[in-house]
Amino acid sequence: MAKVSIITVNFRQGAYTLDFLKSLRSTRYQDLEVIVVENGWIEDMDSLYEEAYPSTKIIHSKENLGFAGGNNLGIQEATGDYIFFLNNDTEVHPDTVNHLVEEMKKDKSLGVICPRIYYYDQPEMLQYAGYTPMNWFTAQNQVNHHKKAVELEDRVEVTAFAHGAAMMISRDAINKTGLMHENYFLYYEELDWVHRINKNGYGVKVHHGAYVLHKESVSTGKGSPLKTYFQTRNRILFMRRNAGARRWIFFLFFLVAVLPKHLLTYLLAKKWEHAKSLLAGACWNLRHSTTSNEIGYLYDKLRFS
């Protein structure tokens, strides 16, 4: 039986992590390794984690390394043939791991597979059931989102991107591609990573017979200035890294259409911090290279605060 390492990253949301670990008890897959990465660690909850799920491996990082950095720490400790990345605000159906591993074994070219993701508070509503391909001129694609869920099926489909809240990646794909780029910090890091894995010849799929429930935006908050900053900054960073010559059309599209529209929306709504975050996220890309590790703006304090 192939070994599966489950990695989850916690940033001062211990109660959610405990619920997550308890949900793993019902998982029917036998050969599991569970790793919790404590980002920005300040509170010792090791005994509670181990009580919630015995034999949990716990990694402490006093510096908040973000989603990518935290998961990269976990990868370096993981011993599984497959790595299942799960947000700490998810709960996993008992058969999900089995379904994903079965498909991984069946399709040797497969590097990444995701379950469906439903909203925890509205379990009949889909958050993710696959992505459409990226429009490399506008940096836009579509995800099945806020749609009524149909009955679960065993169908497995090719998809353009994985969802970072729940994605299984083979050890071979990680070894060939390398780790996530850590300077994204939050958002777009999994899109960048999966795009690189796909370019290395590995397939990406979504399994409609496997699912998790997601509480969503526990760390950053829904619609927070923090989210505005990183989504703006990283959308541009992603295109700088991956779009080639098409990025110049995207830059024009962003300056003419995206930036004025969102800025006006925030100003009319008197959302001053969002407007500031939008501009700061865009300006970061004017001042920094694609490999810069500076988070920028007011959010550098996230690393240690």
Side-chain angles (χ1 to χ4, degrees):
M1 176 177 281
K3 186 174 185 178
V4 175
S5 297
I6 291 178
I7 299 175
T8 195
V9 177
N10 174 57
F11 179 62
R12 302 177 188 176
Q13 296 285 349
Y16 285 97
T17 302
L18 287 173
D19 287 341
F20 165 79
L21 291 171
K22 289 173 184 176
S23 82
L24 293 180
R25 293 176 185 169
S26 63
T27 300
R28 295 192 176 99
Y29 197 82
Q30 296 301 308
D31 197 357
L32 282 184
E33 172 184 62
V34 178
I35 299 171
V36 174
V37 179
E38 286 278 47
N39 247 350
W41 176 65
I42 56 172
E43 183 179 8
D44 187 352
M45 296 189 65
D46 292 14
S47 61
L48 294 176
Y49 291 156
E50 289 164 356
E51 182 180 342
Y53 192 92
S55 302
T56 298
K57 290 185 178 180
I58 304 161
I59 302 171
H60 302 111
S61 173
K62 291 190 175 180
E63 180 181 355
N64 179 14
L65 301 174
F67 178 84
N71 277 302
N72 284 347
L73 273 185
I75 292 169
Q76 293 168 49
E77 292 294 323
T79 59
D81 304 291
Y82 304 111
I83 316 296
F84 194 13
F85 302 89
L86 285 161
N87 278 16
N88 70 323
D89 59 347
T90 57
E91 294 192 9
V92 184
H93 183 272
D95 291 321
T96 288
V97 177
N98 295 69
H99 286 316
L100 300 184
V101 171
E102 284 172 10
E103 189 62 27
M104 280 285 200
K105 288 181 175 180
K106 187 189 304 181
D107 183 354
K108 299 301 182 183
S109 69
L110 187 58
V112 185
I113 190 167
C114 288
R116 285 188 177 194
I117 301 174
Y118 292 91
Y119 289 99
Y120 182 85
D121 293 329
Q122 295 177 284
E124 77 286 357
M125 298 291 288
L126 272 170
Q127 181 185 17
Y128 169 86
Y131 275 107
T132 62
M134 180 68 69
N135 182 324
W136 292 103
F137 300 113
T138 64
Q140 293 174 327
N141 63 344
Q142 299 294 320
V143 61
N144 286 334
H145 184 65
H146 292 303
K147 295 179 181 178
K148 286 286 183 181
V150 298
E151 288 186 9
L152 287 177
E153 304 173 46
D154 291 330
R155 190 171 72 250
V156 181
E157 295 180 326
V158 172
T159 186
F161 292 98
H163 195 296
M167 59 183 183
M168 181 178 286
I169 302 182
S170 72
R171 171 69 67 178
D172 287 344
I174 294 172
N175 288 343
K176 185 173 181 180
T177 306
L179 301 176
M180 279 187 265
H181 290 311
E182 296 187 10
N183 68 340
Y184 282 100
F185 197 77
L186 289 171
Y187 302 114
Y188 279 88
E189 59 277 279
E190 81 273 21
L191 298 183
D192 179 281
W193 200 29
V194 170
H195 177 66
R196 289 189 287 130
I197 290 171
N198 192 227
K199 284 180 68 177
N200 276 329
Y202 293 94
V204 184
K205 290 184 177 180
V206 57
H207 197 309
H208 294 285
Y211 72 92
V212 303
L213 301 176
H214 187 205
K215 298 169 186 175
E216 193 190 24
S217 296
V218 165
S219 296
T220 61
K222 294 182 180 181
S224 69
L226 182 71
K227 190 171 184 177
T228 298
Y229 173 74
F230 280 112
Q231 287 193 332
T232 303
R233 170 190 183 269
N234 293 349
R235 180 182 181 184
I236 300 170
L237 177 58
F238 174 83
M239 295 297 281
R240 290 172 67 196
R241 274 207 167 112
N242 298 298
R246 295 168 293 187
R247 70 187 184 277
W248 298 108
I249 297 175
F250 164 72
F251 294 157
L252 181 62
F253 169 75
F254 185 85
L255 287 172
V256 172
V258 178
L259 188 64
K261 176 185 174 182
H262 288 294
L263 186 59
L264 182 61
T265 299
Y266 291 141
L267 292 177
L268 289 175
K270 297 183 179 180
K271 294 183 176 180
W272 316 121
E273 286 301 313
H274 283 273
K276 187 177 180 181
S277 295
L278 176 74
L279 292 172
C283 289
W284 184 94
N285 285 278
L286 296 174
R287 301 192 304 269
H288 297 87
S289 72
T290 57
T291 58
S292 172
N293 289 319
E294 183 183 339
I295 297 177
Y297 189 36
L298 299 177
Y299 302 119
D300 275 313
K301 65 184 181 180
L302 281 174
R303 288 189 182 274
F304 301 102
S305 63

